[in-house]
Amino acid sequence: MKWSRVKTVAIKEIIEIWRDKLYLSMAFMIPTMMMVVLGFGLSMDVEKIPFVAVDYDQSQQSRDYLHRFIDSRYFDYRGMKAHEKLAEPLMMQNKVRFILVIPPGFQRDLLQGQRVQIQPVIDGLFTFQAKVVKGYVSAINANYNQELMTQWLKKKQGMNSHEIAALLQPVTLETRYLYNEKLSSLWSTGSGMIMLVMLMAPAILTALGVVREKESGSIFNIYASTVTRSEFIIGKILPYVLISMLNLLILSWMALVLFGVPFKGDPLLYLTASLFYVSCATGIGMLVSTMVKTQASAALITMLGTMIPGIMMSGLLMPVNSMETAARVEAHLLPAMYQLNIVWGSFLKGQGWPELGTNVMVLAGYAILLWSLSIWRFRKRVNS
Amino acid sequence: MNRLWWIRVYALTKKELLQFSRDIVLLFAVAWFFTAEIYIAGSGVSMELNNASVVVLDHDRSEASREWISQLKQPYYNVLGHAQSQQQANVMLDKGEVIGVFEIPADFQKKLLLNQQTSIQLQLDASNIILGTLANSYSGLMNAEYNQQWMLKNLKVVDPDSIQVPMVEERQKINYNPEGKSTWFMPISDMMTVITLLSLFLPAAIVVREKERGTIEQLSVAPLSPFQILFPKILAAEIIILIGVAVCIFGIIGNVFQVPFRGSLLSFFMVTMVFVYAVSGLGLFISSVSRNLGQALMVSFMLLMPMLLLSGAWTPRESMPDFQQYLMFLSPLSYYIDIGYSIILKGATLQLMWQPLLQLFGLGTLLFWFGIWQFKRQFN
């Protein structure tokens, strides 16, 4: 393998990319756009949950109770319905996610010191959100109960509020969020987007590079030239690694400035790991292009093969530790999870080589494997 | 539209299907994504707190503290044991070995017995939003339960139902998926993602392949109208995808995951057809405006990502910023998700969902005819 030939192929590729201005601008625009749209849009915050109420009591007390929900920033009040039957179709149409039903006699029973039952109906479609809503409802209700009990105990037992508090809530749980103090989606999924975008964009850009070569027919020049398989593949990939590294820097900068994510880790480690990661991503695009006959299916498979695992199997939304065995194995077989560890480790957690070293090694090994496979699969013959 | 017209459409559709069946890798990829991928994603991936490792930093080591800790149990938590010091706990958190540390103060039991308030600190790794949110929610609920039991013990009440206090009890009812099974959610979301990708790409790929091989010239000199050339391509994509959906619904979603199909199967397939029509119209439009495959792919990629992630397949649309919610009115997928989920899990009828269905159909028709129009222009 001669470096001069690798260089020549790389320079040829750079010139080609440079001349296709549309392609060039898209190569930088797509990742940036994705980062803005998805970073802001893909929010895991459970807020503004649309709900309607069915208040059969229509009393002072029931209105007071209802207002606990209306005033909460977690809920978005969409009005009152006269009957449950009228509220249910709204839930079927996904217009509300939660129905609060207050029974008749709510005020009377409470004033008499009795228990009443309310029925919150929650839409279980989005399992994660449903669980969180369940927690919110319980919390608001518990809060209300505490106030009711406090008033009642004061009146009946003559206890002071200090004693009552110790009786009703002896243990308080104080949660401190580490690494992401405000539990902000923007910090978590926003920085995680670097991993997702930089998996898909480089893979597709590289696959397109091969597509262009074949479409214009210039691949035949390669077939006929003295350049060897490994020289061609490496020379071909390198410009895309370069573009992707630039993109990665832009995206990281966006995460810092636009999303306000802190960077606490080791920049050198982050950049090294990222270099391996974009090498993996470009390698995937290259490998797929060498494996399938038509370029249309190459692109389709590249996209399917990076998008779905990148979203599902990386740990970005669904944590890897909660996965079952088969999915966990798949997650460990793909590079996305390791890069996510590195992104979150470097940005949010301030981790360094001791914690992240293995991840970097895996990515390096993965990149070498993908490049070798591409070289092995590439044929300089036009097969029939 | 006489008999000849239909014979031509039939012959061309057959040709497309034949061509598709010869691309073994593509065939395999489509089969994989409709079965194995959906199985793996559905069975293994969940937005749930499962077996999360935590340690306890118990400065009290009393009966009360042990009782509190014993509430942290499977399947949510996996208590790895006691940390010896704050430093050790911090190292474990930093290395990602545990997601949370519960710290119990030294005077925990003493204060409880004196009827004073005390507090437990939870340090929680919030780098993953889902884990952070759920861990906080669950431990809050557990603590509330502990408090209630302590109070009952304190008041010497044996049967909690016997005390007469004003209290609002909640009988929560979770509709449609009462146990919160992610196997009822994930595979359907994943299937819809796969359908979207394929319906955008298959027709586009078929058109582009014609261009790549130059066979499009043959078609353009054949006695066929642009519509007659394009329609079979969409028809072929519809057939492939509907077969895939049928295999997926009957084989994986219904059979393996036992998802109850509450609505009508027929309406679901009908809606799927309309959706494939809408998205493949978009695909045709993209492939006819772009000069080469490269451009076609970049444009589709740029449209697909936001469409897939923001239409509501993974998180409900109401949690997004307003302007993106409006943007998603342009995404056929958001209507499909709305209608599809309502039919499958909620048992909605088409009468109830006619509004989004009409919108989906309208959007699809717009895209489709725009695609055809563009294609015609290309020939002239």
Side-chain angles (χ1 to χ4, degrees):
Chain A
M1 196 167 82
K2 271 193 188 156
W3 275 111
S4 61
R5 286 202 209 130
V6 174
K7 221 173 83 187
T8 315
V9 176
I11 289 172
K12 167 209 140 263
E13 194 66 26
I14 290 175
I15 293 174
E16 261 181 41
I17 297 171
W18 184 253
R19 286 194 184 148
D20 190 345
K21 286 291 184 293
L22 184 79
Y23 180 85
L24 183 70
S25 50
M26 293 281 247
F28 287 98
M29 251 173 57
I30 292 177
T32 324
M33 249 188 61
M34 294 293 142
M35 186 78 177
V36 175
V37 174
L38 299 180
F40 283 114
L42 191 64
S43 165
M44 279 294 147
D45 301 335
V46 186
E47 280 175 11
K48 297 186 287 182
I49 303 142
F51 84 105
V52 289
V54 180
D55 186 353
Y56 290 120
D57 198 37
Q58 297 283 355
S59 61
Q60 179 63 39
Q61 193 107 24
S62 71
R63 267 191 293 278
D64 183 41
Y65 184 74
L66 178 58
H67 260 277
R68 304 291 165 115
F69 291 88
I70 295 176
D71 297 340
S72 159
R73 75 186 165 99
Y74 297 120
F75 293 98
D76 178 14
Y77 181 55
R78 295 282 169 90
M80 183 84 76
K81 289 280 167 230
H83 198 274
E84 277 170 86
K85 289 271 176 299
L86 296 170
E88 265 157 24
L90 288 176
M91 193 182 269
M92 268 198 186
Q93 292 170 316
N94 303 313
K95 290 198 172 128
V96 299
R97 302 275 177 210
F98 166 54
I99 303 169
L100 182 67
V101 183
I102 302 176
F106 182 83
Q107 172 164 292
R108 186 197 61 218
D109 290 353
L110 283 181
L111 289 179
Q112 287 174 357
Q114 280 176 353
R115 293 151 173 253
V116 291
Q117 284 186 356
I118 54 133
Q119 188 172 53
V121 184
I122 298 166
D123 182 352
L125 180 58
F126 291 91
T127 48
F128 163 68
Q129 279 78 7
K131 278 172 193 134
V132 180
V133 171
K134 208 174 141 183
Y136 290 160
V137 174
S138 295
I140 291 178
N141 191 54
N143 224 326
Y144 187 75
N145 276 336
Q146 208 170 342
E147 282 176 34
L148 277 180
M149 289 279 272
T150 310
Q151 282 167 12
W152 190 75
L153 285 172
K154 260 186 193 163
K155 210 165 69 187
K156 295 269 159 155
Q157 314 257 340
M159 292 164 85
N160 66 33
S161 30
H162 218 64
E163 286 168 329
I164 295 169
L167 177 69
L168 293 180
Q169 203 181 24
V171 184
T172 49
L173 185 71
E174 288 161 12
T175 306
R176 236 186 76 211
Y177 295 113
L178 299 177
Y179 316 124
N180 182 1
E181 287 78 7
K182 278 174 275 175
L183 199 66
S184 123
S185 258
L186 206 53
W187 281 24
S188 169
T189 42
S191 62
M193 258 329 132
I194 300 177
M195 174 279 300
L196 187 60
V197 176
M198 290 323 288
L199 177 66
M200 294 191 288
I204 287 162
L205 283 182
T206 315
L208 291 183
V210 181
V211 170
R212 195 179 37 221
E213 194 92 60
K214 290 196 177 168
E215 228 181 19
S216 67
S218 64
I219 190 88
F220 290 101
N221 299 342
I222 303 292
Y223 290 158
S225 71
T226 52
V227 66
T228 64
R229 294 191 298 182
S230 49
E231 287 160 357
F232 173 67
I233 296 284
I234 293 174
K236 183 97 188 160
I237 291 186
L238 280 179
Y240 296 101
V241 173
L242 183 76
I243 293 178
S244 304
M245 264 324 264
L246 284 176
N247 271 326
L248 190 119
L249 289 177
I250 297 172
L251 295 196
S252 308
W253 176 81
M254 285 169 75
L256 291 174
V257 176
L258 206 60
F259 299 164
V261 187
F263 189 91
K264 298 175 186 161
D266 178 354
L268 191 68
L269 177 139
Y270 176 66
L271 289 180
T272 318
S274 299
L275 182 64
F276 291 139
Y277 183 64
V278 296
S279 307
C280 288
T282 49
I284 292 173
M286 184 56 87
L287 181 63
V288 173
S289 311
T290 59
M291 274 171 67
V292 292
K293 271 190 207 151
T294 65
Q295 288 313 300
S297 44
L300 174 62
I301 292 170
T302 309
M303 219 175 276
L304 279 170
T306 52
M307 197 177 277
I308 294 180
I311 298 168
M312 306 276 299
M313 303 291 176
S314 60
L316 179 65
L317 298 181
M318 304 77 171
V320 175
N321 280 333
S322 302
M323 289 178 187
E324 298 294 328
T325 320
R328 205 181 296 188
V329 168
E330 195 182 332
H332 281 83
L333 285 177
L334 299 166
M337 183 194 86
Y338 303 99
Q339 175 70 2
L340 190 70
N341 287 343
I342 288 162
V343 170
W344 278 349
S346 304
F347 274 93
L348 302 174
K349 297 188 181 175
Q351 291 176 334
W353 285 102
E355 295 95 356
L356 296 174
T358 0
N359 289 299
V360 183
M361 291 304 148
V362 172
L363 286 180
Y366 211 103
I368 293 169
L369 180 75
L370 281 169
W371 287 34
S372 321
L373 276 177
S374 308
I375 293 169
W376 174 68
R377 281 288 318 176
F378 181 67
R379 295 279 181 274
K380 282 184 73 180
R381 302 270 182 282
V382 189
N383 30 9
S384 48
Chain B
M1 292 189 199
N2 47 27
R3 215 172 128 252
L4 188 64
W5 195 91
W6 283 108
I7 290 175
R8 280 176 184 157
V9 167
Y10 171 75
L12 276 173
T13 313
K14 215 170 102 185
K15 162 195 158 286
E16 303 298 351
L17 288 175
L18 204 64
Q19 251 180 346
F20 172 77
S21 71
R22 285 192 186 142
D23 196 337
I24 301 297
V25 182
L26 187 60
L27 201 64
F28 176 76
V30 170
W32 168 270
F33 280 101
F34 266 120
T35 53
E37 181 67 32
I38 290 176
Y39 174 72
I40 294 175
S43 64
V45 182
S46 65
M47 296 200 222
E48 175 55 289
L49 185 76
N50 230 339
N51 224 350
S53 305
V54 291
V55 284
V56 184
L57 192 56
D58 187 355
H59 298 298
D60 195 28
R61 304 250 173 174
S62 61
E63 201 186 323
S65 72
R66 267 195 299 278
E67 201 182 316
W68 197 91
I69 294 162
S70 73
Q71 298 208 93
L72 302 168
K73 51 188 179 254
Q74 298 278 3
Y76 303 141
Y77 293 107
N78 175 22
V79 183
L80 291 184
H82 291 268
Q84 299 310 320
S85 61
Q86 183 66 52
Q87 280 85 355
Q88 197 200 350
N90 283 348
V91 169
M92 289 175 104
L93 275 169
D94 283 340
K95 279 193 177 167
E97 285 168 8
V98 294
I99 106 152
V101 175
F102 291 93
E103 190 177 354
I104 301 175
D107 54 359
F108 183 71
Q109 176 162 298
K110 209 176 100 200
K111 275 196 163 172
L112 279 180
L113 292 175
L114 284 173
N115 281 335
Q116 283 173 351
Q117 272 190 304
T118 173
S119 70
I120 291 176
Q121 271 249 346
L122 165 60
Q123 284 175 303
L124 199 56
D125 177 348
S127 54
N128 184 307
I129 286 287
I130 291 182
L131 288 184
T133 311
L134 288 177
N136 181 43
S137 174
Y138 290 156
S139 35
L141 290 176
M142 280 173 203
N143 185 51
E145 214 167 285
Y146 181 87
N147 280 339
Q148 204 192 353
Q149 262 158 30
W150 183 264
M151 179 187 84
L152 293 175
K153 217 164 77 182
N154 221 356
L155 295 172
K156 302 198 173 53
V157 180
V158 189
D159 179 16
D161 288 329
S162 69
I163 48 167
Q164 277 302 321
V165 283
M167 205 162 114
V168 181
E169 281 179 72
E170 26 161 9
R171 291 271 181 271
Q172 286 191 349
K173 189 172 147 222
I174 312 258
N175 273 358
Y176 315 122
N177 187 358
E179 289 159 59
K181 286 184 187 163
S182 50
T183 49
W184 287 15
F185 174 69
M186 285 292 159
I188 302 176
S189 272
D190 207 28
M191 179 183 77
M192 288 175 171
T193 308
V194 172
I195 296 174
T196 315
L197 279 166
L198 288 179
S199 25
L200 186 66
F201 271 103
L202 280 180
I206 292 170
V207 173
V208 169
R209 194 172 45 205
E210 298 277 10
K211 284 193 194 172
E212 221 174 85
R213 296 212 176 132
T215 48
I216 196 113
E217 302 298 328
Q218 291 170 3
L219 285 181
S220 63
V221 294
L224 299 165
S225 64
F227 180 79
Q228 257 179 323
I229 296 174
L230 287 180
F231 184 60
K233 295 187 195 311
I234 301 226
L235 215 55
E238 288 260 15
I239 292 171
I240 296 165
I241 291 166
L242 285 182
I243 291 174
V245 172
V247 169
C248 181
I249 292 232
F250 293 115
I252 306 290
I253 293 180
N255 217 354
V256 180
F257 295 126
Q258 301 285 331
V259 180
F261 203 103
R262 300 208 173 95
S264 131
L265 260 167
L266 193 70
S267 345
F268 181 74
F269 275 99
M270 219 186 86
V271 173
T272 306
M273 253 169 72
V274 175
F275 174 66
V276 175
Y277 158 75
V279 178
S280 50
L282 183 64
L284 272 188
F285 172 67
I286 294 171
S287 59
S288 51
V289 287
S290 34
R291 260 176 294 153
N292 53 43
L293 179 58
Q295 287 181 9
L297 286 171
M298 277 198 286
V299 176
S300 3
F301 178 58
M302 215 158 74
L303 293 176
L304 259 177
M305 281 274 288
M307 206 161 110
L308 286 178
L309 283 170
L310 303 181
S311 290
W314 311 111
T315 95
R317 261 181 300 157
E318 62 259 17
S319 61
M320 285 164 213
D322 286 342
F323 83 95
Q324 274 166 339
Q325 287 190 38
Y326 291 122
L327 214 63
M328 284 305 119
F329 282 125
L330 295 174
S331 153
L333 182 58
S334 55
Y335 301 102
Y336 182 53
I337 286 170
D338 245 17
I339 311 168
Y341 265 118
S342 292
I343 291 178
I344 297 179
L345 279 183
K346 302 187 172 180
T349 54
L350 286 184
Q351 281 98 312
L352 201 62
M353 305 307 289
W354 66 271
Q355 215 176 347
L357 184 61
L358 200 68
Q359 283 163 328
L360 176 63
F361 188 74
L363 192 64
T365 308
L366 204 70
L367 291 169
F368 186 79
W369 290 106
F370 207 55
I372 297 262
W373 176 69
Q374 271 293 335
F375 195 79
K376 269 187 194 161
R377 258 186 15 160
Q378 213 179 16
F379 274 112
N380 299 337

